[in-house]
Amino acid sequence: MASLLLPLLLALAAAATSAAAGRVVPYDLLYADGVRAYLAREWTRAAELLQRSLHSYAGLREARSACHRACHDEVAFVRGPAAPWDSAFFDRVLQRANCLQHCLGHQLGGPPSAHRISHAIQRDFEQREPYNYLQVAFFQLKKLDQAVSAAHTFFIANPQHFQMREDIEKYRRMSGVKSDSFRDLEATPLWEAYEAGVQHYNADEYLQAVARLEESLREALSALEECRALCEGPWEEDKDKDEDEDEEKEDMQPGLYEAIAAHYVQVLKCRQQCVLEIATKPGRISATEDFIPSHLDLLQFAYDQVGNQTLAAECAASYLLFYPMDEPLLEKMNQYRTELGEDTAVTARENIQHYVQRSLMEKKLIYYAVEHLGGTFNDPDLWTPNELIPENLKEQHREDQEKQKQETLDVEEREKRGPLPFEGVSVTMDSRQMNGTQRVVFDQVLTESECKDLLQLTKAAGGTGDGYRGRRSPHTPHERFEGLTILKAMQLAQNGDVDWKDAKLFLQASEKSRKIIESYFTPGKKLYFSFTHLVCRTAVEGEQEGRMDLSHPVHADNCLLDPEGNECWREPPAYVYRDYSGILYLNDDFQGGGLFFTELDTVTVTAKVYPKCGRLVAFSSGKDNPHGVWAVSHGRRCAVALWYTHSEEYAEKERVKAEELMEQRAAEQDKPDGQLLQGANHGSRSSPESPVPSDRARPTSRRQKPGSDGTQHPKELQPRDEF
């Protein structure tokens, strides 16, 4: 066998896409050394090692993909005439293993086992964490262009990262930073081509759409093959098993065929999930639904519009492999056959036929294994034929499909306006005047006297960081934030630290705002409080010169903004249960601090609202209303921030306790307060800001145990703190 493999390996060495020049250092070791240099503030060495770790990571992926592809193509299964099936099978397995071992050893310049990396480090590279360090190192080295590129690359994959969002905003305002510095160093042709193709398609530019969508489809199928090759990794134990269960099963290891079956099914499941991986844009959790079939659907229409019925028919036939009973496409196929002539053969694309046949074969094997050997399978495809699924698994499959469909909610825009429940309150600006949808400004919600009383409450009780997890400056170091939650106000009143009258006014003003917003936007459909927060922002003296940031960066209240993709994703860690938002202003004796709305690009301003006593601005919490707050450059800006939900389960629970304290107070005075909060809402507390991701475990060598002294990193040395 060795004599037969020698020419093969020589051919593989020549054909490999990236031959190794010497030994490739494992990327986890380079990463750990780079972070150590970072913590020691050795910026040049840190930048060099972190870049090398990224090159090593990319090189390892390329080597594995190339070797899997080459060994798959070159090592053919030759079954002897008299050989038993198992001998012939394992002969091929051994040849494939030998081929991979030699190919990877040649590519990497050492044993492949040296490149087995922990899941934690793999996760860091998948989430582009090295770029988080790199941007600081480059900034310290005064390499601004590289710092901006590294920051942008990290932010693309982590759009919810609040600190990096702030850094990006600062970079945008720096002189000397060019727009082309904001480039994604990990960008693939797939998403650039796909998004350009869809944009051309939506603009009725079908000739350009065809070119970019064809490119996108090629890149998608290529990325799919790379992902499938990387699935052929080592066996991974079930992460949900606990240690006791592992000990119990230590003496119950599976036999040869059971172990082979389990590992092979694991590989098949991984391959099936690849379609979700390639259909998920960096930084997103949710995949684009029906990614491959949707390409074909768009292409058939675009080809039809440009007059190429032959290719339109080919794309339609390819799409029908996924959905053979799609009536509009079946009618279209009949039309194409008529136009092209009955004698013209119309067939699906060969690569799509192969894709569908292979996928169905793998699904059949997986479902057989789940039915007879146990386990679960989350089918990533909506097009899987129902007859392929075993009867006893169909109900679970239907439930999984329903969950997938519910992930993307098609929210119909409605602007039902009911009569305002309070006299004197007026609508100053509606959605049309504010150049958007579901936006409104009310005036005279509070009187001057009521504003003064609530401002007095903030001076007497506003605790620095209350409602912001104790953070003094959660949005910008140039402003001090002071907040007061509804329950804290009642507790302070109970202790005699503030006047009960002022605390009661806080409760009543927020309820009045809720009733106004509910009657205007959702008459007949109840809104519950999600969170109530009396907050003041004070400009820090001596910190305003040369300031370039915002008081609150542009964001949406229930989804993650993706300015690059012109999208907002309603998925965790966003507060997805929020439906409407409101801000009740208390004063205007400060400079700056205005609210503004933007397009999804976070740059194009569509409306501005200037604070004043008794002004209430309300809007839907989602993608239609990205908004931010300009810097408060002088003075103190105070307002009641309000968030509402239609889901009672997410209602603000602290409000229940606050109302109970108020009722106790009324009972003690033997004066039932009939006017207080009729039909008040109860709900769970929610933080007023986008959640800051918890600190990730920092990279360590595989030779160290996570959590050892060598892996601890002091708070003052986080990447963001160096900016």
Side-chain angles (χ1 to χ4, degrees), residues 36-156:
R36 291 191 191 99
Y38 173 93
L39 295 175
R41 299 177 184 271
E42 299 172 2
W43 306 118
T44 301
R45 177 169 166 76
E48 176 195 351
L49 288 167
L50 289 166
Q51 288 183 98
R52 285 179 60 195
S53 73
L54 289 163
H55 289 310
S56 176
Y57 173 69
L60 178 62
R61 288 178 62 94
E62 289 174 7
R64 284 178 172 164
S65 179
C67 287
H68 279 274
R69 186 168 56 249
C71 290
H72 180 273
D73 292 341
E74 296 295 336
V75 181
F77 174 39
V78 181
R79 183 169 180 175
W85 72 267
D86 53 346
S87 298
F89 170 75
F90 284 110
D91 176 66
R92 184 183 185 191
V93 170
L94 292 172
Q95 288 185 56
R96 178 75 63 84
N98 192 24
C99 176
L100 289 170
Q101 188 83 356
H102 281 77
C103 180
L104 285 170
H106 172 78
Q107 293 260 357
L108 302 174
S113 58
H115 295 267
R116 289 177 183 166
I117 314 297
S118 70
H119 286 293
I121 300 300
Q122 288 182 51
R123 229 176 4 255
D124 266 9
F125 277 75
E126 289 167 0
Q127 296 172 351
R128 305 186 181 183
E129 188 67 24
Y131 289 101
N132 198 1
Y133 290 98
L134 268 175
Q135 70 110 0
V136 178
F138 283 134
F139 183 81
Q140 295 290 344
L141 293 169
K142 303 190 185 307
K143 296 181 178 180
L144 202 55
D145 179 70
Q146 291 170 279
V148 173
S149 297
H152 184 72
T153 302
F154 175 80
F155 186 63
I156 287 295

Side-chain angles (χ1 to χ4, degrees), residues 268-275 359 362-363 366 377 380:
L268 291 179
K269 290 179 180 179
C270 175
R271 288 174 175 174
Q272 285 285 299
Q273 295 302 313
C274 279
V275 70
S359 183
E362 290 176 349
K363 291 177 191 293
I366 294 171
F377 174 48

Side-chain angles (χ1 to χ4, degrees), residues 414-483:
R414 297 180 304 143
E415 288 201 355
K416 294 182 178 178
R417 295 180 171 88
L420 298 180
F422 300 97
E423 290 184 6
V425 177
S426 61
V427 174
T428 305
M429 288 192 290
D430 60 16
S431 295
R432 181 183 57 80
Q433 294 166 307
M434 297 176 74
N435 304 310
T437 58
Q438 295 209 309
R439 303 172 182 174
V440 65
V441 174
F442 305 96
D443 278 330
Q444 287 87 50
V445 176
L446 295 177
T447 65
E448 291 288 342
S449 174
E450 289 170 333
C451 287
K452 288 179 181 178
D453 289 341
L454 288 175
L455 286 171
Q456 185 62 35
L457 181 64
T458 67
K459 292 177 181 177
T464 300
D466 184 28
Y468 289 103
R469 304 185 183 98
R471 290 175 291 157
R472 172 184 175 275
S473 300
H475 302 306
T476 170
H478 304 289
E479 296 175 26
R480 184 179 69 254
F481 284 67
E482 299 166 320

Side-chain angles (χ1 to χ4, degrees), residues 345-379:
V346 177
T347 58
R349 295 184 175 186
E350 187 175 340
N351 59 348
I352 300 299
Q353 292 183 50
H354 173 68
Y355 171 86
V356 172
Q357 290 167 1
R358 182 179 63 183
S359 183
L360 291 176
M361 179 192 70
E362 290 176 349
K363 291 177 191 293
K364 188 174 182 180
L365 291 171
I366 294 171
Y367 278 120
Y368 179 90
V370 170
E371 183 180 23
H372 297 284
L373 302 179
T376 59
F377 174 48
N378 294 322
D379 196 325

